[in-house]
Amino acid sequence: MAKEILEGSRAVARAVAMCRPQVIAAYPITPQTHIVQELAQLVADGELAAEYVNVESEHSAASVILGASAAGVRVYTSTTSQGMLLMNEVLYNLAGLRLPAVMTCVNRAVSAPLNIWNDHQDSISVRDSGWMQFYAENNQEAVDLLLQAYRLAEDHRVLLPAMVCMDGYILSHAWEVVDIPTPAAVDTFLPPYPPLYRLDTENPLTFGAYAEPDKYTETRYMMQEAMNRALEVLPEIQADFARIFGRRYQGPVEGYRLEDAETVFIGMGSTMGTVKEAVDALRQQGEKVGAVRLIAYRPFPAQALYAALQRVRQAIIFDRAVSLGSGGPLATEVRALFQSAPDCPAISSGFLGLGGRDVTEETVINAYAQTRGRTVQGIFFDLRHDVEMEGVEG
Amino acid sequence: MAIMEDHLFAPGHTACSGCGQALAVRLVLRAAGSNVIIANATGCLEIFSSNYPYSSWEVPWIHSLFENTAAVASGIEAALRITGRLGNTKVIAQGGDGGTADIGFGSLSGMLERGHDVLYVCYDNEAYMNTGIQRSGLTPYAASTTTSPAGKQSWGKPQGKKDMVGLALAHGAPYVATASVGYPHDLDRKVKRALEITGPKYLQIHCPCPLGWRHDTSLTIEIAKLAVQSGLFPLLEFRDGELVQAHKISRPRPVEEYLRPQGRFAHLFAGEAGQEQIAAIQQIAERNIARYGLRRQERTAAKVPATAGEVTTEEKAARDRERVFTAAELAGFDGREGRPAYLAYQGLVYDVSGSSLWPDGDHQGMHQAGEDLTAAMADAGHGDEILAQFPVVGRLARDI
């Protein structure tokens, strides 16, 4: 293992190559492109023995890896934003076919208006597709979660596709120190993909049969069970990971300075790095605050979250996506977790960092101030009143 | 018919009676054999063949979605290639006309452009039949469908068929062909030939749909033949962009004969005004005939290559008396497995062994040696003068 300073996209591409996918299909879209062009170069230089399929759309990128996964090889793709939306149909299909696949979602806002910067609307929009979702806080995690995602997706107890979400630009284009694993260590952690079933003339099987009402429910039940099992398998994989790479991940949720915390910030992705800084600053002012970060969003880590939040008095949830007409997707689920539970904390929630708006320490501290002694729901923490909104605010 | 012996497509599926597509699938699989992986688009075929837990597929088969079949096949091909399984195992992508020419056109274009070693088969029944007969880009001019209905101010679909053959050719695909369930030997040959070629292949098979075309279920084959014989659905074969074979029509049948048995064209026969539309359809057939040179030159076949050592009339007459073949004896000279290839025509038995036109006794995928082909000549793309190049080896015994 060697620590290197390199761009997030390049770190991810290097990690992908060490996972030895045999078929890669991708379509260029900002800010994902650096990953896939790096992979194309690795293939072109003979450093990665893979078929790199230059597809004509993201719909086909997902479809190509679907076909390849069904044929029994390890696959990879990466996309973002509009590309994720165009893939949507295929994502559901891949999961329903129970085909392991891994992608990196370089999170970006969704049009209109067109915006190439970071929020989570793209991956959140496919949260119900049957793909597992993991959110990286930094580039080291974007690498580490990728390796873990392959293990989990290909585990015969799970067999569901997985996406590792990394914030566009904030991570993908940031140069950070990343501990790049050695190929040998990755080979130990992630042996060649052993498909449970594959398209094979020696053993002809039918994939993708249609199911009438007397069968369909059971397919959903089985997928739900597989999601639940993924939460059980994850700690095993994380233990292996710690043994081989020396970095310890503990379950699907990470707590920060929770020991006597009365107020806890909850969120996902790179924002939580900033939130941790704000927690430190607030603690210096004597505020008993902490943070809880979801690493896994699907499967939703209900038990781990509940355990982490049981004793706190106040929770402040940061969503970087909006379920328009309702509220924050994360807030809705965390709130549901405490429905009718004893010792329910006062839950406030709101949006920040949409479409690439900077989330600073100050943003977090302001949000803390806005929720002192009251609860707020679905407010826009970093709304700018100096932007003309004619016709909207009447 | 011997061609139907293999059942890689198992019976018990739920296709309608008279379904042209089900028949075409059996022929395609029979020709392709068992070393094939199939990616299948959403549609009638997928529904009637894969109702879990049942499946008609005796080969590895995957259905993903409606419009991504060519991409799924591309992925399968890529996986086979990187693992060294490609070649031994062939990949077929298949879908209906809507899944091919409309919603799946983008992914098909990508597959053709990238040059994947995949045979794409379009089962063209000229509308979205699975959803209840809606018009597609391959629905023909003036056909009444539920979304291009004939009405007081409509003659049905105002546009003609999308030129998918031309579009496939524009991608530089090394093999592009059309076939019909009405010509099973030709279809069989084209599938086999396509699978021998490396690279992207496109094969469009005309498949009547009794439900959607509203014809009697017993007429599927006859109507498929009439489409070809009228010039409305030419049987074509392109290698590397060049037309290498077009099924010739001796005496093109008026399109009216093709249209009349089909309810989707019934509005054209309801009154005098429909004649204009029928004339327009006749024009489409004429354009096809001219464009692809489908009309056989009548009796001017001086271009038959002269064979070395042409026999004299005397010699020929002498040979005529050499042997009398019963039908059963003749059947033994079918050209298969190294046997000589003989055929009978108007009482004489000809030896076509060794002719490049009759490899293994097979002629253009439509006829097999060992038979009396007198009646078949009417349908041939040539006249009987062509037989002059072959030696006569006997006479066919008359039935007693």
Side-chain angles (χ1 to χ4, degrees):
Chain A
M1 275 165 268
K3 291 193 177 181
E4 293 184 43
I5 299 173
L6 72 176
E7 193 198 45
S9 296
R10 175 166 291 201
V12 167
R14 295 261 301 272
V16 170
M18 279 184 249
C19 293
R20 304 184 194 279
Q22 289 185 292
V23 173
I24 297 168
Y27 187 83
I29 179 169
T30 303
Q32 151 266 35
T33 38
H34 286 191
I35 294 178
V36 297
Q37 65 193 33
E38 178 74 12
L39 285 168
Q41 190 66 50
L42 289 170
V43 173
D45 289 338
E47 291 174 29
L48 171 58
E51 286 288 320
Y52 187 100
V53 185
N54 279 298
V55 285
E56 76 291 347
S57 73
E58 286 90 355
H59 196 281
S60 281
S63 301
V64 164
I65 64 165
L66 183 153
S69 183
V73 305
R74 183 171 289 158
V75 297
Y76 178 79
T77 190
S78 176
T79 193
T80 175
S81 184
Q82 311 306 128
M84 184 69 80
L85 299 192
L86 188 54
M87 278 187 182
N88 193 342
E89 183 196 23
V90 190
L91 299 182
Y92 276 79
N93 196 249
L94 258 158
L97 285 164
R98 305 296 299 276
L99 294 172
V102 170
M103 81 150 86
T104 303
C105 169
V106 185
N107 287 105
R108 167 184 147 183
V110 164
S111 178
L114 188 131
N115 175 297
I116 58 169
W117 293 274
N118 168 232
D119 67 31
H120 292 164
Q121 195 73 51
D122 50 2
S123 53
I124 293 294
S125 75
V126 296
R127 66 171 190 189
D128 300 334
S129 63
W131 280 63
M132 297 183 284
Q133 291 194 352
F134 304 95
Y135 288 77
E137 181 183 324
N138 50 47
N139 288 340
Q140 185 69 60
E141 276 197 10
V143 165
D144 293 352
L145 293 176
L146 184 94
L147 308 188
Q148 295 172 27
Y150 270 113
R151 272 281 297 271
L152 201 52
E154 293 172 1
D155 192 294
H156 289 181
R157 293 167 291 180
V158 178
L159 288 179
L160 288 170
M163 69 178 72
V164 176
C165 302
M166 69 188 296
D167 288 323
Y169 290 115
I170 295 169
L171 295 183
S172 64
H173 287 56
W175 289 66
E176 286 189 338
V177 174
V178 177
D179 196 342
I180 295 289
T182 64
V186 175
D187 285 345
T188 307
F189 176 72
L190 184 66
Y193 167 48
L196 187 58
Y197 305 107
R198 69 170 190 177
L199 293 167
D200 186 355
T201 52
E202 296 294 311
N203 179 29
L205 297 173
T206 289
F207 286 62
Y210 92 97
E212 292 188 341
D214 63 339
K215 310 279 185 337
Y216 185 85
T217 301
E218 286 64 34
T219 68
R220 261 43 205 165
Y221 172 79
M222 289 163 71
M223 290 171 77
Q224 187 76 332
E225 289 292 295
M227 280 283 184
N228 293 336
R229 278 197 299 278
L231 281 174
E232 294 165 15
V233 174
L234 183 63
E236 281 178 33
I237 290 171
Q238 289 175 332
D240 267 3
F241 190 89
R243 183 171 51 77
I244 294 167
F245 300 104
R247 283 185 296 283
R248 194 163 296 282
Y249 291 80
Q250 288 176 317
V253 162
E254 182 206 44
Y256 184 73
R257 302 193 74 169
L258 290 181
E259 50 290 349
D260 59 345
E262 292 176 357
T263 295
V264 165
F265 301 103
I266 304 170
M268 304 192 293
S270 67
T271 314
M272 295 309 287
T274 308
V275 167
K276 287 174 184 173
E277 300 280 336
V279 164
D280 292 346
L282 286 167
R283 284 238 172 216
Q284 281 192 343
Q285 295 166 23
E287 302 291 328
K288 291 183 175 176
V289 295
V292 166
R293 180 169 67 94
L294 283 79
I295 298 173
Y297 177 61
R298 286 292 179 272
F300 190 73
Q303 281 185 357
L305 260 181
Y306 189 81
L309 297 173
Q310 232 172 350
R311 287 183 203 86
V312 306
R313 289 187 186 169
Q314 187 192 19
I316 302 167
I317 302 159
F318 294 138
D319 266 295
R320 303 197 60 204
V322 191
S323 177
L324 293 167
S326 177
L330 185 55
T332 306
E333 291 188 72
V334 174
R335 199 180 297 281
L337 199 59
F338 285 96
Q339 186 72 36
S340 308
D343 305 323
C344 176
I347 299 176
S348 284
S349 67
F351 312 104
L352 47 65
L354 301 180
R357 181 156 298 176
D358 270 349
V359 177
T360 63
E361 220 175 286
E362 194 188 356
T363 318
V364 179
I365 290 168
N366 281 344
Y368 182 65
Q370 285 181 60
T371 55
R372 296 311 292 156
R374 65 187 187 125
T375 58
V376 298
Q377 310 301 336
I379 66 164
F380 288 74
F381 283 123
D382 53 359
L383 191 69
R384 287 177 58 158
H385 294 278
D386 58 331
V387 174
E388 194 180 341
M389 294 185 283
E390 194 179 332
V392 175
E393 289 196 318
Chain B
M1 197 148 86
I3 201 166
M4 293 310 228
E5 278 170 8
D6 299 334
H7 279 300
L8 291 171
F9 187 65
H13 56 71
T14 57
C16 304
S17 101
C19 174
Q21 188 182 26
L23 181 59
V25 168
R26 287 174 69 181
L27 292 166
V28 167
L29 268 183
R30 191 261 184 193
S34 57
N35 284 329
V36 67
I37 294 175
I38 292 181
N40 206 117
T42 307
C44 280
L45 171 59
E46 164 261 331
I47 292 293
F48 73 64
S49 67
S50 76
N51 183 357
Y52 182 85
Y54 304 107
S55 172
S56 278
W57 301 94
E58 306 277 1
V59 295
W61 180 91
I62 184 167
H63 159 246
S64 171
L65 296 165
F66 199 0
E67 72 277 47
N68 69 346
T69 312
V72 171
S74 299
I76 294 167
E77 184 254 24
L80 296 181
R81 184 184 296 278
I82 194 75
T83 52
R85 291 155 68 199
L86 190 66
N88 218 6
T89 299
K90 310 284 187 188
V91 183
I92 292 177
Q94 57 186 22
D97 45 287
T100 301
D102 295 346
I103 197 169
F105 184 69
S107 67
L108 173 60
S109 175
M111 184 202 99
L112 295 173
E113 183 267 332
R114 290 187 300 269
H116 291 278
D117 189 10
V118 174
L119 167 60
Y120 190 100
V121 180
C122 168
Y123 298 98
D124 180 9
N125 61 17
E126 304 192 324
Y128 293 89
M129 298 313 186
N130 193 42
T131 42
I133 318 161
Q134 289 80 33
R135 66 83 90 183
S136 81
L138 285 174
T139 300
Y141 176 74
S144 180
T145 71
T146 57
T147 51
S148 65
K152 286 174 186 161
Q153 297 183 17
S154 164
W155 287 107
K157 190 188 174 195
Q159 304 87 5
K161 283 170 83 74
K162 186 188 277 194
D163 181 8
M164 283 301 296
V165 166
L167 288 164
L169 287 169
H171 285 80
Y175 188 84
V176 177
T178 57
S180 163
V181 284
Y183 293 83
H185 287 287
D186 177 65
L187 196 168
D188 180 77
R189 181 183 62 82
K190 283 172 175 165
V191 171
K192 284 175 179 156
R193 183 154 300 174
L195 289 174
E196 285 166 4
I197 293 165
T198 303
K201 286 81 65 174
Y202 177 76
L203 176 62
Q204 185 170 328
I205 304 175
H206 204 225
C207 307
C209 167
L211 189 74
W213 297 13
R214 287 181 277 145
H215 62 73
D216 192 275
T217 55
S218 68
L219 296 180
T220 299
I221 298 302
E222 194 175 328
I223 284 174
K225 284 185 167 172
L226 281 167
V228 173
Q229 291 165 359
S230 62
L232 284 175
F233 194 91
L235 298 184
L236 307 169
E237 188 174 30
F238 294 86
R239 285 295 308 273
D240 299 321
E242 297 297 320
L243 181 64
V244 293
Q245 195 186 93
H247 176 69
K248 304 280 184 184
I249 310 166
S250 324
R251 286 171 290 279
R253 308 281 281 269
V255 296
E256 202 174 321
E257 289 184 29
Y258 169 67
L259 303 174
R260 195 180 282 281
Q262 302 182 49
R264 62 177 175 159
F265 297 114
H267 56 290
L268 304 182
F269 297 94
E272 295 237 332
Q275 288 304 313
E276 214 172 293
Q277 301 300 319
I278 295 171
I281 296 170
Q282 187 64 52
Q283 281 303 306
I284 295 171
E286 297 301 335
R287 275 200 299 275
N288 283 339
I289 290 167
R291 179 177 178 186
Y292 299 114
L294 302 181
R295 195 185 297 270
R296 174 170 67 83
Q297 298 300 306
E298 293 283 350
R299 305 284 166 182
T300 56
K303 289 178 185 165
V304 172
T307 50
E310 256 188 41
V311 294
T312 63
T313 311
E314 290 77 8
E315 285 170 323
K316 195 175 168 186
R319 283 186 188 175
D320 285 355
R321 288 186 291 274
E322 275 178 16
R323 181 170 174 185
V324 176
F325 291 83
T326 64
E329 285 169 341
L330 181 62
F333 296 92
D334 60 2
R336 291 198 171 106
E337 295 166 3
R339 291 188 287 272
Y342 294 176
L343 61 85
Y345 177 71
Q346 292 188 346
L348 295 179
V349 175
Y350 293 82
D351 181 359
V352 296
S353 308
S355 164
S356 62
L357 294 168
W358 289 86
D360 298 325
D362 175 74
H363 183 50
Q364 311 293 343
M366 299 189 196
H367 304 293
Q368 189 69 36
E371 291 178 17
D372 184 353
L373 295 174
T374 306
M377 187 63 85
D379 242 353
H382 53 72
D384 57 11
E385 73 285 342
I386 203 154
L387 287 170
Q389 66 179 302
F390 301 112
V392 175
V393 293
R395 285 175 291 130
L396 192 61
R398 291 184 183 280
D399 288 336
I400 299 164

